[in-house]
Amino acid sequence: DNIGIIGGGILDGSGEKWWTFRFFRPNFVQLMNGKNILIQDITVRNSPSWNLNPVYCDNVTIKGVHIENPNNSPNTDGIDPDSSRNVLISNCTISVGDDCLVIKSGLGVQGRHINRPSENIVVTDCLMRSGHGGIVIGSEMSGGVRNVTVSNCVFDGTDNGVRIKSTRGRGGIVKDIKISDIVMKNIVRTGITINMFYTKSAFEPFSERTPQFRDINLRNISGTAKQ
């Protein structure tokens, strides 16, 4: 508890040594079961996998952080709040090889058993310069994601802008999502995508394994495609 990583320095994960491996690349900065966490005014770069990953945390502020990974580096998500609550992410610049800012809450049986949602998350005044998605929810969302507000962000050169994704078998509910005042520039693929079949899976009847998306509000979003 009561952890600060601040001060304008550089954290370099030397991730290029790991990028040739397909699996089991470590995340760089992962904080678990923490409370009152401040990460501010630092640069994080060359992560082996995800850059900043608070898991099961409460009251997290990530402010003025620069995250830099080559655009061909695998699974190098920028910031991944996972089953965490009361999170503020502001004034960050992210350029990575995978999704820029991703909200997650566990995977499959384990995620449903632990059942800790990501909730009360605010993202504002951020610049996403390169990556697969600007703001993403999922695809690991078995514990649920709720009460998320994203505003006043710019996505410049990302493959996708807003991306909500899951698949059969993972379960979880995404609800009360508000995304507004977003400018997308040079989008490579799709501005907004909502996908419940992110991975191939066999048909199954509706159950707790079926993901649900509801109460999603998208407002004042503009975008241009990459020429």
Side-chain angles (χ1 to χ4, degrees):
D1 294 349
N2 306 315
I3 296 169
I5 305 175
I6 62 176
I10 297 173
L11 304 181
D12 194 315
S14 299
E16 61 275 11
K17 299 176 181 179
W18 290 92
W19 295 332
T20 57
F21 294 92
R22 185 175 181 185
F23 298 111
F24 306 116
R25 293 180 299 269
N27 297 339
F28 190 14
V29 180
Q30 184 180 70
L31 303 167
M32 298 190 69
N33 293 297
K35 184 183 293 184
N36 304 329
I37 295 167
L38 173 63
I39 303 175
Q40 181 174 351
D41 297 333
I42 63 170
T43 296
V44 182
R45 65 189 186 195
N46 296 323
S47 174
S49 188
W50 303 349
N51 284 264
L52 296 182
N53 178 214
V55 186
Y56 309 138
C57 290
D58 187 3
N59 192 21
V60 178
T61 298
I62 302 174
K63 184 177 181 180
V65 172
H66 295 263
I67 298 178
E68 304 168 357
N69 270 66
N71 59 15
N72 62 346
S73 55
N75 299 116
T76 53
D77 293 359
I79 303 174
D80 291 55
D82 192 340
S83 296
S84 295
R85 64 180 185 176
N86 303 321
V87 178
L88 170 63
I89 301 169
S90 67
N91 300 100
C92 294
T93 301
I94 304 172
S95 180
V96 290
D98 206 328
D99 294 325
C100 294
L101 199 155
V102 196
I103 301 169
K104 301 177 180 290
S105 64
L107 179 63
V109 174
Q110 182 186 38
R112 291 195 299 274
H113 175 71
I114 295 174
N115 194 31
R116 293 181 65 170
S118 278
E119 60 184 340
N120 308 331
I121 296 176
V122 174
V123 179
T124 188
D125 298 307
C126 292
L127 170 61
M128 319 307 189
R129 299 188 62 182
S130 180
H132 288 335
I135 179 71
V136 179
I137 298 174
S139 62
E140 301 93 328
M141 46 149 283
S142 299
V145 175
R146 60 197 186 204
N147 193 21
V148 175
T149 301
V150 181
S151 65
N152 298 312
C153 292
V154 176
F155 309 152
D156 188 354
T158 58
D159 291 343
N160 305 279
V162 177
R163 192 180 189 193
I164 303 174
K165 57 184 180 179
S166 188
T167 195
R168 270 24 185 194
R170 297 193 173 178
I173 301 174
V174 172
K175 66 177 183 178
D176 300 325
I177 311 298
K178 300 178 179 64
I179 302 175
S180 66
D181 302 302
I182 305 296
V183 175
M184 306 180 192
K185 301 187 290 184
N186 302 310
I187 296 297
V188 177
R189 296 178 184 170
T190 308
I192 299 170
T193 178
I194 299 176
N195 184 5
M196 288 188 173
F197 296 91
Y198 177 63
T199 62
K200 293 181 180 179
S201 59
F203 172 81
E204 58 178 76
F206 181 84
S207 71
E208 75 281 356
R209 290 167 50 88
T210 307
Q212 302 177 54
F213 299 164
R214 63 174 184 246
D215 301 322
I216 298 171
N217 187 299
L218 307 175
R219 180 175 57 85
N220 195 24
I221 298 175
S222 63
T224 59
K226 185 175 182 178
Q227 300 299 314

